[in-house]
Amino acid sequence: MKLLRLFFDKIEPLFDEGKALSLFHPVYSMFDNMMFSSNEKTPNAPFGRDPIDIKRYMFIVVIALTPAFLGSLYFYGLRILWMLIVSYAVGAVVEIAFAIIRKEEVNEGFLVTGFIFPLILPPGIPLWMVAVGMAFGVLVGKEVFGGTGRNIFNPALVGRIFLALGYPSAMSGSWVSPGSGSLGNLLKNFQLAAPDVLSSATPLVQAKNGIFMPLKDLFFGNILGSAGETSALLIILGGLIVLFAGIANWRTILSIILSFAGFNLLLNILSPGTANPVLFNMLSGGFLFGTFFMATDPVSSPITISAKWVYGIFIGLIALLIRTFSGFVEGMMFAILLGNIFSPLFDEVVIRVRMKHYAKKL
Amino acid sequence: MRGGYTPKIDGRPSSILKKIALSSSLTIDLHRNERFYKPLVEEGQRVKIGDLIASADLNLLIEKGDSIEENDPVEKEAQVLYLPSPADGIIHLNIETETGKPFSIILSDIGSSVDKNPQIVKDPNRLTPIEARKVLVERGIWQYIWSSGTNGIADISGKKKPKAIVINTIIAEPFRTRGKVILNNFWHSIIKGLSYLPLLLEDYGTIEFILTEKKDPIVQLMLKELTGKAWVKFHFVDVKYPIEKPEILNKLIRKEKNRFNQDNEIWVVDIQTVEAIGICLGKGVPMSRRIVAMGGPAFPDPMHINVRIGTPLKDIIPENINLNTTLVLRGGLFLGEPVDPENSSVGFDDDAFFFIPVKQTREFLSFIKPGFSKRSIFPNFAGRIDRDLSSQLRGELRPCIACGKCQEVCPVNLMPQIIHRYLYTDRLDEAQKLGLDNCIECNLCTFVCTSKIELKVQFVNAKNMLLMEQEGNL
């Protein structure tokens, strides 16, 4: 590693201001920061700081997503790996381009966005759509607002919604039957092109027709669905990692689950037969994945702690309403997006209440 | 207290208390805590232990109405702090060449004549409050007394008396002198000091003890000793930084609504001060030493030391510490400021020196090396080198991602992430409306910030700007 460090130190002057490659300084510092830990000194008290930083924060999410990713390789084959590479490459290009334009450092947010994006897409989708969706998501969902930390929406979600609205037939009909047995589809589906056997009958579509998949299949993943959200077990496993690492806010997760399950139960009692059974609803579609990995995105969810409760309840309720009473079979995506839209409002209410409290004290 | 957080850090001082031998010369800094002391002695003068060698005006922020009248010399004289000489010796004044102002006093030809020179001791029943205050001021102890009325050093004149004096035995900041070490070693002086404290109180005032764990033997002993004394009350709290901040203790005590109103003053002292009071008033010995915690990851054998005030740091830092790769902080991890170990000495108000390693190495791919560790506020997967505390920032400055940790740890229930956003867009008024003035500058939010934002510095700057605006309007 010493050689690599020497190499980095040697090329660093090339990126200094006024030099030939100064435009690409963000690229250099990205690689430098990724490869080696920071060497910056604490400028003010406290002179020692907590070891957490953004890279590590983001990387814990990637680690937590790994079970679902490995599961997707097993179910749908190595094609998912291609999707991941395309997603990362496009995300990095857009991110770096904007870092150069803004003359800022490259933010690590795309580590997560690039990893999540292929996992929320149908596994049979053409690769160029992955690229288009990712580019749109990062560009419109994040960069136009000023980059990581300033975006209103979850970039991966924006990309997916763009694809869902722009290419509805591909997005609703590109499901692939998951593999089973000891190796599943692990060594299959090498090809870049979309696989031939496509279907559109996900468990939630079938539920509309009154056919409910067995819960066991939903839990272990013997169903059609987006690449990463097939197996509830693997998602819960990853979800527990982000939960216990403190990266995802437990308030958001708890309130979404309680609200979704609670209102579902209420609906089933008040008007039997309208909504799907509670457990079926929770294990199918993108509910768990959205709850653990998408809704908990700290930037696009409310900033204040109290508002996170409201946000969670809101998402749970909207997801249920969309699933039950609208033409869409999946409600999570739009529910989180609506939650993102409303979260500044929730924050504002909390802030106003707090301001009143302080005004009273004076 | 809401929030609060004590990180897990190596180098916690053991309860061993080592006595440090008297150095050949002592240095007393005249610039401490933004206060300049003027020397009261001359070059070459011989002084005895306890002689007053420097003084400073106590500029109190007293509310309008009872501000000190300019032409009242008696009142003005009452508001002066003194530094007593910590030993016998010959004075040498260190003078700054540019300004001609003395910046420190060096005592050489050191001796200690305490035993030969007994001071007058008075029983608490026969001492008047005025006398007691005078002794405390002249012994240099007054500066340790925090008052809720002034939000700083208490008013000396005696006009304002506290309804309660809070005695804090808990220090959660890594690593300042632990109350238990003082309790264990100076039990008798503390009991003595306690008997003098009511002299400072207003009528029917109380002494409030802040303690941890009821089961501790020393606490049990204290409960036994003090039961039946109606004016002593006990509070048991969790050890979580910044519980020791007087602002927090003040709030904690005031929560008992029926006992205090807005006008009641509450004073806060730590247990080391009570011990000093016991020694000065009870035994007639001038205040001359401090119990100092020496700790931190870069200190090889962390412990407490009993050291004479003015002892150069060189004499108390072990030789096996490489000062080129160590940052020495005066104070604990959160509030300590770096000192030059070659040219600094133990001050009147020091109770800790914290040693942080300065690291140069950059770990390869540190952020993906997995391993759970409780050293971070996130029980995170940390790289091996980065996991241990150092003077490195351990990350890069990034925009706030609203992880919410600052709000979780804030002991006064602020929302630092929102205030940061307001200040980022220059909306000072909104930041103030959101309680910016309540910030007690404990540095916790800055410590835990994932994006490595200098929150406390921003807040202090904003507070100063607001203060300047207010002064401009008046």
Side-chain angles (χ1 to χ4, degrees), chain A residues 70-254:
Chain A
L70 293 178
S72 71
L73 289 184
Y74 167 82
F75 292 127
Y76 304 114
L78 290 168
R79 197 163 179 280
I80 307 298
L81 195 62
W82 289 118
M83 287 166 68
L84 181 76
I85 292 169
V86 169
S87 159
Y88 259 136
V90 173
V93 166
V94 177
E95 183 79 44
I96 289 170
F98 270 84
I100 290 173
I101 293 169
R102 276 201 294 264
K103 297 198 169 59
E104 278 179 8
E105 300 224 347
V106 175
N107 286 326
E108 287 83 359
F110 81 94
L111 277 179
V112 172
T113 310
F115 205 90
I116 281 188
F117 193 59
L119 297 184
I120 56 172
L121 292 178
I125 192 175
L127 287 179
W128 64 266
M129 276 193 201
V130 178
V132 170
M134 184 68 185
F136 187 86
V138 176
L139 197 73
V140 176
K142 190 166 82 173
E143 302 299 352
V144 293
F145 292 103
T148 304
R150 303 182 185 103
N151 47 315
I152 300 174
F153 306 115
N154 187 323
L157 207 58
V158 172
R160 193 193 196 279
I161 285 175
F162 173 73
L163 291 181
L165 298 178
Y167 311 95
S169 58
M171 285 295 281
S172 58
S174 297
W175 314 107
V176 181
S177 305
S180 55
S182 58
L183 275 176
N185 279 333
L186 200 53
L187 299 175
K188 298 173 196 163
N189 292 338
F190 254 143
Q191 78 281 22
L192 294 172
D196 303 329
V197 202
L198 298 175
S199 160
S200 63
T202 62
L204 280 168
V205 173
Q206 288 185 322
K208 282 264 173 195
N209 305 326
I211 308 158
F212 294 102
M213 299 284 288
L215 290 180
K216 197 187 89 194
D217 288 350
L218 290 170
F219 189 71
F220 289 107
N222 194 13
I223 49 158
L224 301 180
S226 292
E229 48 189 49
T230 314
S231 161
L233 175 70
L234 296 175
I235 295 168
I236 292 173
L237 196 71
L240 289 179
I241 294 179
V242 277
L243 198 59
F244 285 110
I247 299 297
N249 200 300
W250 60 270
R251 296 168 187 88
T252 310
I253 294 174
L254 187 70

Side-chain angles (χ1 to χ4, degrees), chain A residues 35 40 49-50 108 354, chain B residues 365 376 393-394 413 452:
Chain A
M35 294 290 182
E40 236 172 295
R49 301 286 170 92
D50 198 276
E108 287 83 359
R354 188 63 75 84
Chain B
L365 286 180
S376 169
L393 201 52
R394 302 202 272 182
N413 202 11
K452 310 292 173 191

